[in-house]
Amino acid sequence: MGDAMRTVRVKAIVEHGPGLKSFLLDGPIESAAPGQFVMLWLPGIDEKPFSISDLGEAGLEISVKAVGPFTRALMEVSVGDYLGIRGPFGKGFRLADRTLLVGGGIGVAPLRFLYREMGRLRLSAWLVVGVRTAADLIFPDYFRSLPDCLIVSEDGSIGETGIVTDVIDRIIDQAGTTRLAAAGPEPMLVALRDLGERRGLKVELDLERYMKCGIGLCGLCCVDGSGVRLCVEGPVLSSAELRGVTDLGRPHRDATGRRRCGPD
Amino acid sequence: MGDAMRTVRVKAIVEHGPGLKSFLLDGPIESAAPGQFVMLWLPGIDEKPFSISDLGEAGLEISVKAVGPFTRALMEVSVGDYLGIRGPFGKGFRLADRTLLVGGGIGVAPLRFLYREMGRLRLSAWLVVGVRTAADLIFPDYFRSLPDCLIVSEDGSIGETGIVTDVIDRIIDQAGTTRLAAAGPEPMLVALRDLGERRGLKVELDLERYMKCGIGLCGLCCVDGSGVRLCVEGPVLSSAELRGVTDLGRPHRDATGRRRCGPD
Amino acid sequence: MPSLAVRLGLLRLESPLVLASGILGVSASSLALVASRGAGAVTTKSCGLDPRAGHPGPTVLPVTEGLLNAVGLSNPGADAMCEEIREFKSRCPTTLLFASLFGRTVEEFGEVAAHLAAAEPDLLEVNVSCPNVSSELGLPFEAKSKELAAITALVKKKAGDIPVALKLSINWGPIGEQARICAENGADLITAINTVGPGMLIDTNVMRPVLSNQVGGLSGPCILPLAVRAIWEVRRSVDLPIIGLGGVASSEDALQLIMAGATAVGIGTAVYHQGLDLFERVNQGLLRFLAEKGLEDLSEVCGAAHG
Amino acid sequence: MPSLAVRLGLLRLESPLVLASGILGVSASSLALVASRGAGAVTTKSCGLDPRAGHPGPTVLPVTEGLLNAVGLSNPGADAMCEEIREFKSRCPTTLLFASLFGRTVEEFGEVAAHLAAAEPDLLEVNVSCPNVSSELGLPFEAKSKELAAITALVKKKAGDIPVALKLSINWGPIGEQARICAENGADLITAINTVGPGMLIDTNVMRPVLSNQVGGLSGPCILPLAVRAIWEVRRSVDLPIIGLGGVASSEDALQLIMAGATAVGIGTAVYHQGLDLFERVNQGLLRFLAEKGLEDLSEVCGAAHG
Ligand SMILES: Cc1cc2nc3c(=O)[nH]c(=O)nc-3n(C[C@H](O)[C@H](O)[C@H](O)COP(=O)(O)OP(=O)(O)OC[C@H]3O[C@@H](n4cnc5c(N)ncnc54)[C@H](O)[C@@H]3O)c2cc1C
Ligand SMILES: Cc1cc2nc3c(=O)[nH]c(=O)nc-3n(C[C@H](O)[C@H](O)[C@H](O)COP(=O)(O)OP(=O)(O)OC[C@H]3O[C@@H](n4cnc5c(N)ncnc54)[C@H](O)[C@@H]3O)c2cc1C
Ligand SMILES: Cc1cc2nc3c(=O)[nH]c(=O)nc-3n(C[C@H](O)[C@H](O)[C@H](O)COP(=O)(O)O)c2cc1C
Ligand SMILES: Cc1cc2nc3c(=O)[nH]c(=O)nc-3n(C[C@H](O)[C@H](O)[C@H](O)COP(=O)(O)O)c2cc1C
Ligand code: FES
Ligand code: FES
């Protein structure tokens, strides 16, 4: 019954910067694969999809960037408040040795969980985290403390100056990774897919589309082309699966199911 | 889902005598305890409770005596026809060593199954079968072939002349049984209970009450006194349970739930 | 110390849980069995003037997470039922007894009510919503506003001091509207909901409906959301205490009905899925809820979901 | 060799299975995905004149053996839908496409129908029974005889040669009566049933309804008996082919609807419980049934339970 709605209390909140917070929830998920997501209900407001950014004894962690009405309302939530959870949903990343993890912006959230899980399983992982500026990074101290993690920022306020694609080739050469797992803005993902495939890596991308039901019925999250449901067969897709996606890096559908005109 | 209705074909029919037949049904019950019953649906007619008289590789066996509209209609059923089954329901006999089995009339049906099961488990059993006349006995050759089976008939047309209570004391003395399991007309059962308790045996009786739902809801099969539901907590009751029954051997309730005026 | 006792109009129940009509409700003995397991009140099987055998079998069928039933209002008749009521009352003085009744005509509702009232049940529950006797008795009376009003007024008159509940379903249009008609004609309480539909099950081997009555009412866990909604609707429409039921199988379920507006909560089909211990289990769950939330009793959350 | 092909009025479907409206029905790509899995026809999400985002979340909730949904008719609007229909038709020439539509007024039904008809779907399915937009759009039109008649006639006029199905629920009184009104006003088929209720789910921690719309329609295995009964009723009332749906999750379930009177069988919620392989599994089960009974095709058992 992981699919049913359960309300749970917020145990702790970490404020990383303006409009950037992580929420630790009291249960209710026993286990999940990194890359899977939950539908988060803010009673009286709305329900939206969020990646699991960590899961352990302490509870379920969600990391959120305020970008609109729902995520801004989430910033007002206090410890002790109830939030509703459905999930975990979807298919996560494969856990395999010698994987290069690349996250952009709030996209680092699922990679935080993936990195931890790989560590638990003693699989070797390298992590590249890219943000616009230092204030956009969740858990900066944590990422800074990781031995195999490289942080890049566009304005140089944290880590190296640049964008993630600037440093990938270097890491692949140094570390000899054979797989690439990435999450973040879709243009970045497309660039990483191209780069990864050029370098002969097995690529997995964590995509986002508008999600309403989370359980494979409403059809809003279906990619154009193969029609694959990101909430069930995704959100993580492999290179092979990505070949069936005709709207990759192009405008997606909105809440009405209509294709947007401009880029997302 | 044993409780759901399933229709199955009649595989074979044995005609024991006028208005007395056994039906072998193609499945659908995997296992059951002797004393348990099924609800048998004759499409277009009605649905009534019947004890399981045998269960094995061959299928499910039900033995029926024609006494009214439903059982008479059953006599018209042919091999290949569909019958509906719900069950098995209720609580059966305890399977324990040194048990004396006593069946009267069509009440031998569940004891046939009980005797077989005890044999499979190598528990020692003695069987007393009482009928009015030879034509009332199901599987006469089978019962005659059993080493530890005594047949009595009121008119002497088969086995010894007499009624079951005439021979019980003798068997208990000879065989040293410590338990009594009985099924048949309620006056006989009451007499057996009294006799059994006088002889210090543990007694179990297979009772009948009007049954409609078979699953503990309609309340028609509840005994007066303790209110115990024969379709769930029975139809086999122990001495202790029988002490809570205030209408034992007295008029029961009919399909309306009303207490009958005369004896059943 | 939180308490499970509730005030249902002028009645006081030690527990909000009520055995639903039609479940183990034909004899004092079976009602007493349920009373001993933690119900605050028990309801008799709906009773008419004369004894009725109901429909031939099959009458009760398990379906996905529920039951389909067309028992067909089998009952021993009002006079025999009065004996059972009296016996129950002398055996179980602390559990309330609700007497359910139906009639084939408006007048008969009154007659049955008068008969039953003589046995002094704690409440008369008027079943105007049984969905599986239409082929014989026509549309349920709840579907006909004028008759619904007349039955309510008539039973109320015959009931004397005994409070009267009208039992409604969701099968014939807006339940809120029906509840309003009942309230305007003197009903003291609303009971909701009766079984849903009706529905039908077809056996694909013999290719015919399985219930002898062809159609039957749906009950059990699968109708819980429909019951929650119905009670929500009744609560918005009338200012009467509600006996809420439909699919309740846990204290969580019971709380949903209470928060939608029910004061007492009926349990029927779940007795099949979970046995008679269910009453005690739900009582315990409700006590735990009160303790966790620091509440005195359930009246504090009755209707809470209306905000 | 038994065949699964069925004649649905003038249409021929390779399999009787139809993807229900509202399930994976907003884009040509998702519809094509389902078509590739064995559906004889797919239905688009109900489409209105203008794009609609539908209700805020939560909109779809699992309940006991079913779903409660109040998506709120989110759809890209008729013009965008026409593009999807055209794309689907060019990608999947052997699977039929049914275009579902709704309107906020009688006239708007006609307008949407005219728009969609331009994309030449194989059928127009008129949703007059969505139970979760009442707070905005009022009672579903199926509840109002005059409007129901007017909508049927108007859509029929705008549809040209395209056959028109009216989609009904059991939520507003006798479905047989509604079907009759549709038939009298020119409907070519009846689709039944839409979701049931509506129902409600209350969270007992936050003490409020969980669906943002408060109420939503019930679907899935738990409503199967209600669907069987509804189709039985429609079959008795009118002489139109029926697209039967509601809770179908197996070939057994599909056969129940067929024996009650359905020619084609829709599948919606079970896609959630059983995945997209379900279509192929049910097809296989139906073929097995035909082989076992020595039948040529399913028309031989359509309505068989009526005796
Ligand atoms: C699988 C998945 C995982 C996600 N994980 C995270 C995460 O870990 N942290 C995080 O901060 N954000 C995450 N998001 C994005 C998050 O769902 C949106 O930021 C949020 O829904 C925005 O809602 P809003 O009302 O604040 O903004 P809006 O103003 O409504 O929208 C802002 C942006 O978010 C998108 N969006 C809005 N609603 C949805 C929806 N229902 N489904 C998908 N996208 C939507 C819009 O398309 C738009 O691009 C994830 C999205 C998906 C699909
Ligand atoms: C647990 C149980 C096991 C049984 N096992 C067998 C068996 O193995 N073989 C067999 O031949 N008979 C058995 N019976 C009895 C059988 O159910 C009845 O003979 C049958 O229901 C009679 O139906 P009728 O229409 O033929 O007769 P009717 O004329 O309707 O009734 C004849 C007698 O059967 C009783 N009876 C009728 N309907 C029911 C009912 N629904 N439930 C209980 N009793 C009923 C009546 O009270 C009456 O005493 C069993 C009954 C019960 C309760
Ligand atoms: C077998 C059965 C018999 C019923 N008989 C009656 C009845 O006689 N009178 C009545 O008002 N309701 C009757 N009902 C309806 C229940 O009282 C109750 O309203 C309904 O089943 C919903 O509750 P539940 O889901 O808890 O069972 C019956 C229900 C069942 C399952
Ligand atoms: C999530 C969801 C969305 C739905 N949307 C629509 C819709 O837009 N139009 C419509 O006519 N029916 C809609 N329905 C109803 C279904 O088409 C179908 O009639 C109903 O769910 C019963 O079938 P099922 O039990 O197989 O799902 C929707 C159902 C669900 C579960
Ligand atoms: S979110 Fe509804 S199908 Fe994926
Ligand atoms: S037969 Fe219905 S309770 Fe036993």
Side-chain angles (χ1 to χ4, degrees):
Chain A
M1 282 295 282
D3 293 5
M5 177 72 78
R6 294 140 295 165
T7 44
V8 290
R9 286 186 194 275
V10 176
K11 272 171 84 170
I13 298 175
V14 181
E15 180 157 8
H16 307 294
L20 190 62
K21 287 187 178 176
S22 292
F23 299 86
L24 189 67
L25 304 178
D26 193 8
I29 292 176
E30 300 269 301
S31 73
Q36 283 193 300
F37 67 96
V38 297
M39 296 297 294
L40 198 70
W41 173 41
L42 191 46
I45 310 282
D46 207 334
E47 189 200 34
K48 297 283 180 181
F50 292 90
S51 302
I52 297 170
S53 64
D54 205 8
L55 180 63
E57 298 284 281
L60 174 74
E61 187 194 270
I62 304 291
S63 300
V64 179
K65 185 174 164 57
V67 297
F70 183 82
T71 44
R72 275 200 293 274
L74 260 184
M75 296 299 139
E76 308 302 314
V77 162
S78 310
V79 169
D81 287 356
Y82 279 104
L83 290 177
I85 289 276
R86 293 191 292 134
F89 295 125
K91 184 176 114 319
F93 292 100
R94 267 194 67 177
L95 296 165
D97 213 19
R98 313 199 74 71
T99 304
L100 172 58
L101 280 44
V102 186
I106 190 65
V108 298
L111 298 183
R112 169 170 151 93
F113 182 28
L114 176 58
Y115 186 86
R116 289 243 172 135
E117 281 295 290
M118 290 182 68
R120 277 177 204 132
L121 296 171
R122 311 208 169 280
L123 299 169
S124 59
W126 289 261
L127 184 52
V128 176
V129 167
V131 287
R132 241 181 345 94
T133 182
D136 285 348
L137 184 58
I138 57 170
F139 301 105
D141 295 338
Y142 163 74
F143 286 110
R144 261 196 295 244
S145 75
L146 299 178
D148 294 316
C149 176
L150 187 72
I151 302 174
V152 297
S153 61
E154 293 180 32
D155 65 358
S157 55
I158 187 169
E160 294 186 20
T161 307
I163 59 173
V164 293
T165 38
D166 298 339
V167 300
I168 301 293
D169 273 308
R170 195 174 86 208
I171 309 240
I172 298 172
D173 291 334
Q174 283 172 7
T177 52
T178 58
R179 305 179 60 88
L180 178 69
E186 203 154 304
M188 176 192 100
L189 295 182
V190 174
L192 284 171
R193 193 260 320 253
D194 295 344
L195 194 155
E197 293 195 340
R198 183 161 40 75
R199 297 294 311 259
L201 306 191
K202 291 209 158 67
V203 175
E204 285 186 323
L205 303 184
D206 188 356
L207 299 184
E208 289 186 10
R209 289 291 181 280
Y210 202 92
M211 289 185 177
K212 207 157 194 174
C213 72
I215 56 175
L217 287 180
C218 72
L220 285 170
C221 73
C222 292
V223 298
D224 277 5
S226 65
V228 149
R229 300 167 295 177
L230 283 191
C231 69
V232 174
E233 287 90 22
V236 176
L237 297 187
S238 68
S239 303
E241 290 165 326
L242 288 165
R243 251 165 260 136
V245 184
T246 57
D247 62 349
L248 195 68
R250 297 177 41 210
H252 307 152
R253 291 169 191 279
D254 62 15
T256 72
R258 202 170 30 154
R259 256 194 221 106
R260 292 233 183 88
C261 304
D264 189 51
Chain B
M1 280 295 283
D3 293 5
M5 176 72 78
R6 292 140 298 165
T7 46
V8 290
R9 286 187 193 275
V10 176
K11 271 171 86 170
I13 299 175
V14 181
E15 179 156 7
H16 307 294
L20 190 63
K21 288 186 177 174
S22 291
F23 300 86
L24 189 68
L25 305 178
D26 193 7
I29 291 177
E30 300 268 300
S31 73
Q36 282 194 301
F37 66 97
V38 296
M39 296 299 294
L40 199 70
W41 174 40
L42 192 47
I45 310 283
D46 207 333
E47 188 200 34
K48 297 284 181 181
F50 293 91
S51 302
I52 296 170
S53 65
D54 204 7
L55 179 63
E57 297 284 281
L60 174 74
E61 187 193 270
I62 304 291
S63 300
V64 180
K65 185 174 163 57
V67 298
F70 183 83
T71 44
R72 275 200 294 271
L74 261 185
M75 296 299 137
E76 307 303 314
V77 162
S78 310
V79 169
D81 286 356
Y82 278 104
L83 290 177
I85 290 276
R86 292 191 293 135
F89 296 125
K91 183 175 116 315
F93 292 100
R94 267 194 66 175
L95 296 165
D97 213 21
R98 312 198 74 71
T99 304
L100 172 58
L101 281 44
V102 185
I106 190 65
V108 299
L111 299 183
R112 170 171 151 91
F113 182 27
L114 177 58
Y115 186 86
R116 289 241 172 135
E117 280 295 289
M118 290 183 68
R120 277 178 206 133
L121 296 171
R122 312 206 169 280
L123 299 168
S124 60
W126 291 262
L127 184 53
V128 175
V129 167
V131 288
R132 243 182 344 96
T133 182
D136 285 347
L137 183 58
I138 57 169
F139 302 103
D141 295 340
Y142 164 74
F143 286 110
R144 261 196 296 245
S145 75
L146 298 179
D148 295 316
C149 175
L150 186 73
I151 302 173
V152 298
S153 61
E154 292 181 31
D155 65 359
S157 55
I158 186 169
E160 293 186 20
T161 307
I163 59 171
V164 293
T165 39
D166 298 341
V167 301
I168 301 293
D169 274 307
R170 195 174 84 209
I171 310 240
I172 297 171
D173 292 335
Q174 283 172 8
T177 52
T178 57
R179 306 179 60 89
L180 178 68
E186 201 153 306
M188 177 193 101
L189 295 182
V190 174
L192 284 170
R193 194 259 324 248
D194 295 343
L195 194 154
E197 293 195 340
R198 185 162 36 76
R199 297 296 310 262
L201 306 191
K202 290 208 158 69
V203 175
E204 284 186 323
L205 303 184
D206 187 356
L207 299 184
E208 289 186 10
R209 288 292 181 279
Y210 202 92
M211 289 186 177
K212 207 158 195 173
C213 72
I215 55 175
L217 287 180
C218 72
L220 285 169
C221 74
C222 292
V223 299
D224 277 5
S226 65
V228 149
R229 300 168 296 177
L230 282 190
C231 69
V232 173
E233 288 90 21
V236 176
L237 297 187
S238 68
S239 304
E241 290 165 324
L242 288 164
R243 250 165 263 136
V245 184
T246 56
D247 62 349
L248 196 67
R250 296 177 43 209
H252 307 154
R253 292 170 190 276
D254 62 16
T256 72
R258 202 169 31 156
R259 256 194 221 105
R260 292 233 183 89
C261 305
D264 190 50
Chain C
M1 259 293 284
S3 155
L4 286 185
V6 293
R7 292 223 157 269
L8 186 66
L10 296 174
L11 303 171
R12 182 192 150 90
L13 282 70
E14 290 305 319
S15 152
L17 303 185
V18 178
L19 174 69
S21 178
I23 313 302
L24 298 173
V26 278
S27 72
S29 295
S30 61
L31 291 165
L33 177 66
V34 179
S36 73
R37 300 305 194 84
V42 295
T43 313
T44 65
K45 173 81 189 164
S46 292
C47 179
L49 206 50
D50 306 314
R52 261 177 82 93
H55 302 305
T59 54
V60 185
L61 296 173
V63 293
T64 304
E65 287 294 318
L67 289 176
L68 210 57
N69 101 76
V71 169
L73 296 174
S74 62
N75 76 90
D79 289 330
M81 193 57 100
C82 283
E83 284 178 50
E84 305 293 336
I85 294 172
R86 291 198 181 92
E87 181 183 334
F88 177 88
K89 286 179 53 114
S90 76
R91 284 173 67 175
C92 306
T94 62
T95 307
L96 270 51
L97 185 129
F98 298 169
S100 173
L101 65 96
F102 74 95
R104 286 166 298 186
T105 60
V106 171
E107 293 66 39
E108 201 175 286
F109 273 91
E111 271 184 84
V112 181
H115 271 262
L116 291 176
E120 296 182 31
D122 297 294
L123 178 108
L124 286 176
E125 186 174 274
V126 189
N127 180 359
V128 284
S129 49
C130 179
N132 57 50
V133 285
S134 311
S135 57
E136 180 193 352
L137 305 183
L139 279 195
F141 287 102
E142 64 173 344
K144 297 170 279 191
S145 315
K146 257 182 26 211
E147 278 92 337
L148 180 58
I151 288 169
T152 307
L154 183 59
V155 170
K156 188 60 195 157
K157 207 170 90 189
K158 303 287 184 182
D161 289 344
I162 302 169
V164 171
L166 270 285
K167 181 164 179 181
L168 303 175
S169 82
I170 59 163
N171 307 327
W172 301 98
I175 190 173
E177 181 55 24
Q178 290 164 7
R180 208 183 40 69
I181 294 172
C182 298
E184 286 169 2
N185 286 278
D188 301 294
L189 301 94
I190 300 294
T191 303
I193 57 175
N194 212 320
T195 53
V196 173
M200 177 185 280
L201 190 72
I202 290 174
D203 181 86
T204 57
N205 282 320
V206 300
M207 302 195 204
R208 61 189 302 156
V210 181
L211 288 173
S212 71
N213 186 51
Q214 299 188 330
V215 304
L218 188 64
S219 61
C222 58
I223 68 165
L224 178 73
L226 303 175
V228 174
R229 164 72 191 331
I231 290 156
W232 172 276
E233 213 48 49
V234 172
R235 167 74 167 220
R236 289 214 299 208
S237 302
V238 298
D239 196 21
L240 295 181
I242 301 168
I243 302 171
L245 82 168
V248 173
S250 70
S251 56
E252 267 291 307
D253 298 346
L255 284 167
Q256 285 199 52
L257 296 198
I258 291 168
M259 289 175 184
T263 298
V265 173
I267 293 185
T269 302
V271 167
Y272 158 59
H273 292 107
Q274 310 214 21
L276 292 171
D277 294 345
L278 179 60
F279 290 92
E280 212 36 76
R281 256 201 315 280
V282 175
N283 278 338
Q284 292 306 322
L286 292 174
L287 276 176
R288 239 183 349 261
F289 170 82
L290 290 175
E292 272 166 23
K293 304 279 173 191
L295 301 172
E296 283 300 307
D297 61 43
L298 291 164
S299 69
E300 299 190 45
V301 293
C302 177
H306 291 263
Chain D
M1 259 294 283
S3 155
L4 286 185
V6 295
R7 290 223 158 269
L8 186 66
L10 296 174
L11 303 171
R12 182 192 150 89
L13 282 70
E14 290 306 318
S15 153
L17 303 185
V18 178
L19 173 70
S21 178
I23 313 302
L24 298 174
V26 278
S27 73
S29 295
S30 61
L31 290 165
L33 176 67
V34 179
S36 74
R37 300 306 194 84
V42 295
T43 313
T44 65
K45 173 79 189 167
S46 292
C47 180
L49 205 51
D50 305 313
R52 260 177 81 94
H55 301 306
T59 55
V60 184
L61 296 172
V63 294
T64 303
E65 287 293 318
L67 288 176
L68 211 56
N69 100 75
V71 169
L73 296 175
S74 62
N75 77 88
D79 290 330
M81 193 58 99
C82 283
E83 284 178 50
E84 305 293 337
I85 294 173
R86 291 197 181 94
E87 181 183 334
F88 178 87
K89 286 178 55 113
S90 76
R91 284 173 66 175
C92 305
T94 62
T95 307
L96 269 52
L97 185 130
F98 298 170
S100 173
L101 65 96
F102 74 95
R104 286 166 299 185
T105 60
V106 172
E107 293 67 39
E108 200 174 287
F109 273 92
E111 271 184 82
V112 181
H115 271 262
L116 291 176
E120 296 182 30
D122 297 295
L123 178 106
L124 285 176
E125 186 174 275
V126 189
N127 180 359
V128 285
S129 48
C130 179
N132 57 49
V133 284
S134 312
S135 56
E136 180 193 352
L137 306 182
L139 279 195
F141 287 102
E142 65 173 344
K144 297 171 279 190
S145 315
K146 260 190 9 221
E147 278 92 337
L148 179 58
I151 289 169
T152 307
L154 182 59
V155 170
K156 187 62 195 156
K157 207 170 89 189
K158 304 286 183 184
D161 289 343
I162 301 168
V164 172
L166 270 284
K167 181 163 180 184
L168 304 174
S169 83
I170 59 163
N171 306 328
W172 301 98
I175 189 172
E177 181 54 25
Q178 290 164 6
R180 209 183 40 68
I181 294 172
C182 298
E184 286 169 3
N185 287 278
D188 301 295
L189 300 96
I190 299 293
T191 303
I193 57 175
N194 212 319
T195 53
V196 174
M200 177 184 282
L201 189 72
I202 290 173
D203 181 85
T204 57
N205 281 319
V206 300
M207 302 195 203
R208 61 188 304 157
V210 182
L211 288 172
S212 71
N213 187 50
Q214 298 188 332
V215 304
L218 188 64
S219 62
C222 59
I223 69 164
L224 178 74
L226 304 175
V228 174
R229 164 70 191 333
I231 290 156
W232 172 276
E233 215 46 52
V234 172
R235 168 73 167 222
R236 289 215 299 207
S237 303
V238 298
D239 196 21
L240 296 182
I242 301 168
I243 302 170
L245 80 168
V248 172
S250 69
S251 57
E252 268 291 307
D253 298 345
L255 284 167
Q256 285 199 52
L257 296 198
I258 291 168
M259 290 174 183
T263 298
V265 174
I267 293 184
T269 302
V271 167
Y272 157 59
H273 292 107
Q274 310 214 22
L276 292 171
D277 295 345
L278 179 61
F279 289 92
E280 211 36 74
R281 255 199 319 277
V282 174
N283 278 337
Q284 292 306 322
L286 292 174
L287 275 176
R288 238 181 353 258
F289 171 83
L290 289 175
E292 273 166 23
K293 305 280 172 187
L295 301 172
E296 284 300 307
D297 61 44
L298 292 164
S299 69
E300 300 190 46
V301 293
C302 177
H306 291 263

